[in-house]
Amino acid sequence: VQLAESGGASVRPGRSLRLTCAASGFTVDTLEVAWFRQAPGKEREGVACLSEGDGNPRYAEEPKYFSDSVKGRFNIYRDRAKNVVYLQMNRLKSEDSGIYYCAADNIRCAYALGHPGDMDYWGTGTPVTVLS
């Protein structure tokens, strides 16, 4: 299992970014896939998680979980054809800055977001800076 994040950038507050988590070694609808972030000097925190899907269509609405800090601004969704999971981030704030990681496991999302240490598979991260 390998995960590779991309799409991080420096942006101004209020702008949007879409991060991509490209998966290999598994299909993105067979594991829970989550996004975490870590700011300098802070612990890694869960941001969003997408439960495993069980078939078609291409953009099925599986259960999604979000931290309170991003609820209503961020969205997570998958593209099975490309085997990727996206994190769409809107109305970005300076406190959204950090290294964003995607992770995958068969741990349920509701638990996973609060327990990053229990996730088995990780990417190397992509940096997001929201300029204040």
Side-chain angles (χ1 to χ4, degrees):
V1 172
Q2 288 189 323
L3 301 167
E5 304 91 338
S6 61
S10 296
V11 296
R12 294 197 178 277
R15 303 301 292 270
S16 297
L17 274 178
R18 188 178 74 169
L19 305 183
T20 301
C21 174
S24 58
F26 76 105
T27 54
V28 292
D29 58 355
T30 59
L31 294 175
E32 316 281 276
V33 179
W35 285 92
F36 296 83
R37 67 187 180 192
Q38 189 165 19
K42 294 189 176 180
E43 293 186 351
R44 193 167 297 189
E45 63 169 340
V47 175
C49 187
L50 180 61
S51 292
E52 61 180 303
D54 57 1
N56 295 321
R58 182 171 169 174
Y59 296 110
E61 287 294 321
E62 293 86 2
K64 304 177 181 181
Y65 299 80
F66 300 94
S67 65
D68 288 343
S69 62
V70 307
K71 200 170 294 182
R73 299 188 297 121
F74 289 15
N75 191 25
I76 184 171
Y77 58 100
R78 64 169 60 92
D79 183 332
R80 290 184 178 85
K82 296 181 179 179
N83 209 35
V84 300
V85 174
Y86 298 109
L87 181 68
Q88 177 66 45
M89 307 186 294
N90 301 321
R91 304 196 304 277
L92 283 161
K93 305 176 181 179
S94 57
E95 53 262 44
D96 294 319
S97 297
I99 306 296
Y100 281 70
Y101 301 89
C102 68
D105 209 308
N106 57 8
I107 299 172
R108 290 302 173 191
C109 281
Y111 178 86
L113 281 184
H115 299 85
D118 289 345
M119 300 292 284
D120 278 344
Y121 306 111
W122 289 88
T124 57
T126 185
V128 172
T129 302
V130 184
L131 305 167
S132 57

